[in-house]
């Protein structure tokens, strides 16, 4: 693996006098220089509101914003830019979907399926919808090693099942779910499928046509882009039937007090001034990883994951959650009786940043009978030396207890 670390200035800083070992990439990735510079360059030399201006800067900012949409379209293999809705992130994408899809397609008594390993952002919006609409939510069970139980999944379908909501990659277990097969089964039962790709888009090639999903979402900040920008992909034929999520400027064709008509896709779902600097910087981030190659990144992180599973697995008292071989980029664990918060705090004193707690997946914590876990998560710049540092750090901490 070529050394890309120099592209990320933050990686050379120290924490408590130790070189930073940043292993919290599932929460957010660090930003390469080109992304940070794209943001400051645009504010310094292009900035103007998009879509509404005839003047030069507005046209230029609009061109960058719409070029970013095309970059996203190509990156995820969507058919048309009409299918690329810019949002604030995965969470907003799912709230948009739940509200708007729910309004168009779901009625009292309808059912949706949600997996046991979902992030809260792929649970709570559906629960809010349940309160509003009287739908029911069924949980797709998982095995002890952290895999979807496909037979059980299929047996949950009834004539009232409308939608499946599943993570492509679990942010805790790292499991890569068989979303293509799950889509095939959903479609065979006349249901749609939404794939939460927040943890797959940064780590592997993701193609909505190959997955055959109806909706998909991801966040810019987890794929080396800025915070505050994300994407909802939706099949054009479905988005056409869905009502707007929010009202305001940008999303209308014509407004009168008697009647308002809406803009064409995707603008119908993009009320107000978009984060046009963010969308451009996201495109710069996607170009950056494309140049390195998503296959290349996937291979590198698969090797790191294997190495970490092996190295951490040798530590006395180690319990690793998510042991399927088909996992990517994340290792969640507890060690003996050490509280995960103590473990994380003491590792931090050694310059090692891991995440601790419930990882916004409390139902999954309950599935494993724990309150929380520590989690190390990797990125294209992670090295085996950093995993060694983590393992040595854990051993050092364990000796204190
Ligand atoms: N879905 C998954 C699987 C995630 O890991 C996360 C964030 O950790 C989210 C959704 C929410 O992403 P965001 O906070 O960027 O909206």
């Amino acid at each position: 693996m070529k050394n890309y670390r120099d592209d990320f200035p933050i990686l050379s800083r120290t924490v408590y006098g130790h070189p930073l070992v940043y292993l919290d990439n599932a929460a957010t990735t660090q930003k390469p220089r080109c992304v940070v510079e794209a943001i400051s360059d645009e504010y310094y030399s292009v900035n103007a509101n998009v879509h509404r201006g005839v003047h030069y800067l507005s046209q230029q900012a609009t061109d960058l914003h719409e070029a970013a949409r095309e970059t996203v379209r190509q990156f995820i293999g969507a058919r048309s830019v009409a299918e690329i809705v810019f949002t604030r992130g995965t969470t907003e994408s799912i709230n948009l979907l739940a509200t708007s899809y729910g309004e168009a397609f779901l009625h009292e008594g309808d059912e949706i399926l949600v997996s046991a390993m979902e992030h809260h952002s792929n649970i709570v919006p559906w629960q809010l919808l349940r309160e509003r609409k009287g739908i029911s939510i069924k949980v797709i069970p998982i095995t002890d090693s952290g895999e979807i139980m496909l037979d059980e999944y299929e047996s949950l379908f009834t004539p009232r099942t409308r939608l499946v909501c599943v993570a492509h990659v679990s942010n805790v277990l790292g499991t890569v779910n068989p979303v293509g097969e799950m889509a095939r089964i959903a479609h065979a039962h006349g249901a749609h499928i939404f794939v939460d790709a927040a943890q797959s888009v940064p780590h592997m090639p993701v193609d909505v046509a190959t997955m055959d999903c109806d909706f998909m979402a991801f966040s810019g900040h987890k794929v080396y882009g800025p915070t505050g920008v994300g994407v909802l992909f939706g099949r054009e034929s479905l988005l056409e039937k869905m009502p707007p999520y929010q009202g305001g400027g940008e999303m209308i064709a014509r407004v009168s007090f008697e009647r308002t008509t809406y803009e064409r896709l995707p603008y119908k779902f993009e009320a107000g001034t978009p984060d046009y600097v963010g969308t451009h910087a996201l495109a710069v981030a996607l170009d950056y990883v494309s140049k390195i190659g998503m296959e290349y990144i996937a291979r590198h992180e698969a090797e790191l994951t294997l190495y970490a599973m092996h190295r951490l697995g040798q530590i006395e008292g180690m319990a690793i959650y998510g042991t399927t071989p088909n996992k990517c980029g994340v290792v969640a664990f507890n060690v003996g009786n050490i509280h995960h918060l103590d473990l994380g705090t003491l590792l931090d004193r050694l310059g090692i940043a891991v995440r601790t707690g419930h990882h916004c997946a409390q139902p999954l914590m309950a599935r494993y009978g724990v309150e929380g876990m520590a989690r190390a998560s990797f990125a294209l710049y992670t090295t085996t030396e950093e995993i060694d540092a983590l393992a040595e750090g854990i051993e050092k901490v364990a000796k204190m207890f």
Side-chain angles (χ1 to χ4, degrees):
M1 179 87 186
K2 185 177 162 304
N3 183 10
Y4 293 101
R5 293 178 71 83
D6 291 347
D7 294 342
F8 296 82
I10 201 170
L11 296 179
S12 56
R13 67 162 291 175
T14 54
V15 171
Y16 297 116
H18 298 279
L20 169 67
V21 175
Y22 184 76
L23 298 175
D24 195 17
N25 294 285
T28 200
T29 50
Q30 299 302 347
K31 318 304 169 199
R33 197 177 271 107
C34 60
V35 167
V36 180
E37 285 173 357
I39 294 168
S40 55
D41 285 354
E42 187 164 354
Y43 277 125
Y44 279 138
S45 59
V46 182
N47 183 50
N49 207 333
V50 291
H51 294 143
R52 302 167 198 168
V54 289
H55 62 80
Y56 190 87
L57 290 188
S58 177
Q59 297 281 352
Q60 211 177 350
T62 302
D63 289 348
L64 288 175
H65 180 60
E66 291 306 325
R69 203 186 300 275
E70 171 59 18
T71 301
V72 171
R73 183 197 72 73
Q74 284 182 28
F75 193 78
I76 63 169
R79 277 220 288 255
S80 154
V81 287
E83 301 185 317
I84 308 298
V85 179
F86 282 126
T87 64
R88 284 193 300 124
T90 306
T91 302
E92 188 177 55
S93 297
I94 301 175
N95 279 277
L96 187 167
L97 180 67
T99 302
S100 184
Y101 179 93
E103 196 54 42
F105 296 113
L106 297 179
H107 304 98
E108 191 174 347
D110 282 344
E111 298 164 0
I112 66 169
L113 309 185
V114 176
S115 98
M117 66 174 87
E118 295 311 305
H119 187 281
H120 293 162
S121 66
N122 203 18
I123 299 174
V124 184
W126 304 112
Q127 291 176 322
L128 293 171
L129 188 65
R130 178 171 65 187
E131 283 167 28
R132 289 200 300 274
K133 281 264 175 174
I135 60 164
S136 69
I137 299 173
K138 290 181 170 176
V139 181
I140 309 164
I142 61 170
T143 63
D144 289 345
S145 61
E147 291 170 331
I148 296 273
M149 298 167 91
L150 272 182
D151 289 346
E152 307 271 341
Y153 163 63
E154 182 146 27
S155 70
L156 290 174
F157 283 87
T158 74
R160 296 303 301 267
T161 310
R162 301 281 175 254
L163 180 70
V164 174
C165 304
V166 65
H168 192 183
V169 171
S170 159
N171 66 312
V172 178
L173 308 169
T175 312
V176 183
N177 286 319
V179 288
E181 177 64 1
M182 293 179 76
R184 191 191 62 69
I185 293 170
H187 292 150
H189 288 271
H192 296 128
I193 183 165
F194 161 67
V195 175
D196 173 353
Q199 296 295 347
S200 58
V201 162
H203 305 292
M204 60 184 66
V206 172
D207 186 276
V208 291
T210 311
M211 289 196 288
D212 199 23
C213 59
D214 301 293
F215 302 97
M216 181 272 248
F218 69 95
S219 297
H221 70 96
K222 293 185 195 286
V223 59
Y224 311 100
T227 52
V229 63
V231 170
L232 174 68
F233 156 83
R235 269 191 218 284
E236 196 169 350
S237 56
L238 296 173
L239 291 179
E240 285 289 4
K241 295 192 181 102
M242 290 161 47
Y245 172 53
Q246 295 180 326
E250 299 266 333
M251 51 73 75
I252 52 88
R254 201 169 176 80
V255 177
S256 73
F257 279 110
E258 289 71 38
R259 181 166 176 269
T260 289
T261 53
Y262 308 126
E263 253 289 21
R264 65 187 195 280
L265 290 175
Y267 309 107
K268 179 173 84 172
F269 293 109
E270 295 180 352
T273 299
D275 184 356
Y276 52 83
V277 176
T279 56
H280 169 55
L282 170 60
V284 171
L286 297 182
D287 285 341
Y288 174 79
V289 291
S290 296
K291 218 179 259 171
I292 295 170
M294 288 311 297
E295 272 99 3
Y296 192 64
I297 293 171
R299 258 198 322 277
H300 171 66
E301 293 184 6
E303 283 166 17
L304 285 172
T305 308
L306 254 182
Y307 184 76
M309 291 291 285
H310 176 71
R311 182 71 182 84
L312 299 191
Q314 291 174 328
I315 296 171
E316 207 183 309
M318 173 63 67
I320 293 179
Y321 306 94
T323 48
T324 168
N326 196 17
K327 66 180 276 173
C328 134
V330 182
V331 181
F333 55 92
N334 274 313
V335 184
N337 291 327
I338 309 172
H339 194 278
H340 50 88
L341 195 57
D342 292 335
L343 184 55
T345 307
L346 291 165
L347 285 172
D348 180 50
R349 289 282 161 171
L350 302 171
I352 302 166
V354 295
R355 185 142 293 242
T356 59
H358 55 63
H359 310 290
C360 298
Q362 284 179 337
L364 184 64
M365 299 299 116
R367 165 67 181 77
Y368 284 99
V370 296
E371 204 190 295
M373 303 170 182
R375 178 187 73 183
S377 53
F378 315 134
L380 66 90
Y381 41 68
T382 307
T383 63
T384 48
E385 288 76 19
E386 289 184 302
I387 292 166
D388 287 336
L390 170 67
E392 285 155 22
I394 295 169
E395 282 161 347
K396 211 171 192 172
V397 171
K399 281 201 187 111
M400 298 177 189
F401 285 83

